[in-house]
Amino acid sequence: MDFQDKEKNLESLLEDGLVQTIKSIFHALSSRRDLSPNEDTTALFRYLIRIVSSSNPNHNGAVESLQKDGTLQILIKLNCRGEIELERYWANRIIEGKNDLTQFPYYGNYVLLTKSELEQMQKYMDLDGKRLLFVGSGALPLTAMMFKQQQPSLDVRCIDKDAEFVRLSRALLSKLGISYLPIFIRDIANLDYGIQSMLSTSDVVFIAALV
């Protein structure tokens, strides 16, 4: 066996190890009926994030393998559920005065991400005085809040189809003393007069990743 064959075998072993690690996390998460934050669930999601955000040369092969057997698609849905529960949990804690907004685990990530997203939008239009419709703002409308904070002249409006999330986000904004971010119960899939009016009067429509 020459060096190239040995290298390919090693890559295959490393790739298989990565796939098995991700699958073990997948099975641990999928066995839980409730993905609300607790010590074990949070540790699993953090481990998963650490894996996918690392510069592992075997990522592409592992992703392809996980796609073929359907694991990846279900894992993405589990991650979405987990993020929704995380936002709900932290919205309630902030409303109850148990935590400050800046203590949200990914607050720093949101600061950097919204800065990058605004810079990308600025490449296509001057956002000064423009109207942005944020679709799917959720229980913790952090991205929408930071859009407004980082670009004060931007008129930001939010919609979400989930009445509980709208109630929580409004209570959160009230707790934080924020009055510049109106949030409405609307379903973007239902093109009624209200949605059509919002769309026609918006310069930018931003759709959240979980929608």
Side-chain angles (χ1 to χ4, degrees):
M1 183 183 293
D2 60 23
F3 177 76
Q4 286 187 336
D5 288 336
K6 289 180 180 179
E7 189 176 33
K8 286 180 181 177
N9 283 343
L10 178 59
E11 287 176 357
S12 178
L13 286 171
L14 292 172
E15 182 183 304
D16 289 344
L18 182 60
V19 168
Q20 292 308 313
T21 299
I22 294 174
K23 281 191 173 183
S24 68
I25 297 172
F26 163 75
H27 290 306
L29 288 172
S30 59
S31 66
R32 286 165 162 72
R33 295 181 62 184
D34 183 5
L35 291 177
S36 299
N38 60 45
E39 189 174 346
D40 290 340
T41 301
T42 301
L44 285 167
F45 277 120
R46 283 181 176 170
Y47 189 23
L48 180 63
I49 290 168
R50 195 183 316 138
I51 291 172
V52 300
S53 60
S54 66
S55 54
N56 191 318
N58 302 293
H59 272 168
N60 290 341
V63 167
E64 186 177 339
S65 175
L66 293 166
Q67 270 183 321
K68 283 181 180 178
D69 66 9
T71 300
L72 183 64
Q73 293 84 340
I74 301 173
L75 189 57
I76 289 172
K77 290 180 180 179
L78 286 170
N79 189 64
C80 289
R81 278 178 52 203
E83 189 169 341
I84 288 170
E85 292 303 326
L86 181 71
E87 291 189 3
R88 191 204 313 266
Y89 173 83
W90 275 88
N92 277 309
R93 288 191 68 85
I94 295 165
I95 291 166
E96 294 165 5
K98 295 178 180 177
N99 286 98
D100 184 75
L101 179 63
T102 57
Q103 292 176 299
F104 179 65
Y106 304 108
Y107 184 87
N109 300 64
Y110 274 79
V111 173
L112 296 175
L113 184 61
T114 51
K115 183 176 183 293
S116 174
E117 288 168 337
L118 285 170
E119 288 173 352
Q120 290 300 314
M121 286 187 273
Q122 290 277 19
K123 291 180 179 179
Y124 299 96
M125 71 166 65
D126 180 7
L127 295 176
D128 188 33
K130 295 297 190 298
R131 304 189 80 180
L132 182 145
L133 179 63
F134 195 104
V135 180
S137 49
L140 188 70
L142 197 49
T143 301
M145 290 163 60
M146 289 187 176
F147 277 165
K148 183 65 177 177
Q149 290 169 2
Q150 295 181 27
Q151 186 76 30
S153 65
L154 188 63
D155 182 4
V156 181
R157 297 174 295 170
C158 299
I159 61 172
D160 200 291
K161 68 178 182 180
D162 192 302
E164 182 197 359
F165 293 166
V166 171
R167 178 187 62 78
L168 280 172
S169 58
R170 285 174 176 171
L172 173 74
L173 295 177
S174 176
K175 176 72 176 182
L176 297 173
I178 294 174
S179 58
Y180 56 71
L181 197 66
I183 301 177
F184 306 95
I185 302 174
R186 293 284 191 280
D187 185 353
I188 191 69
N190 180 17
L191 290 175
D192 57 17
Y193 175 78
I195 286 292
Q196 291 184 44
S197 176
M198 284 184 163
L199 291 172
S200 65
T201 56
S202 298
D203 301 293
V204 181
V205 178
F206 189 96
I207 301 177
L210 297 181
V211 171

